[in-house]
Amino acid sequence: MDMSKPWISIWLRTRETIRESLSETPRLTKMVLVALFGIVFGYDMAVSQELGDKYSLGLILWGSP
């Protein structure tokens, strides 16, 4: 697969593109991406549950990671 154009291959061969991209990505980079996803997911859950109405921003930031 030609990874020089991942923006095209992601639409045509999604699984192959993701697998190849992950196989070439260093382990530390993968862990950082997982951590960032977890933080964003935590913030999304806080927003959907309207936690900002009940708790301060500092408490939400401390509890989301």
Side-chain angles (χ1 to χ4, degrees), residues 38-53:
I39 291 169
V40 169
F41 184 74
Y43 291 151
D44 183 55
M45 293 300 293
V47 168
S48 68
Q49 295 179 9
E50 298 177 356
L51 293 181
D53 294 339

Side-chain angles (χ1 to χ4, degrees), residues 4-5 10 13 25 31-32 38-39 44 48 51-53 58 62:
S4 64
K5 300 176 184 175
I10 194 74
R13 293 180 302 276
T25 304
M31 296 307 289
V32 168
I39 291 169
D44 183 55
S48 68
L51 293 181
D53 294 339
W62 180 77

Side-chain angles (χ1 to χ4, degrees), residues 22 25-40:
L22 287 175
T25 304
R27 184 178 178 104
L28 179 61
T29 304
K30 292 176 193 174
M31 296 307 289
V32 168
L33 289 174
V34 168
L36 288 174
F37 174 77
I39 291 169
V40 169

Side-chain angles (χ1 to χ4, degrees), residues 46 49-61:
Q49 295 179 9
E50 298 177 356
L51 293 181
D53 294 339
K54 301 175 189 174
Y55 303 106
S56 69
L57 176 62
L59 188 60
I60 293 172
L61 293 175

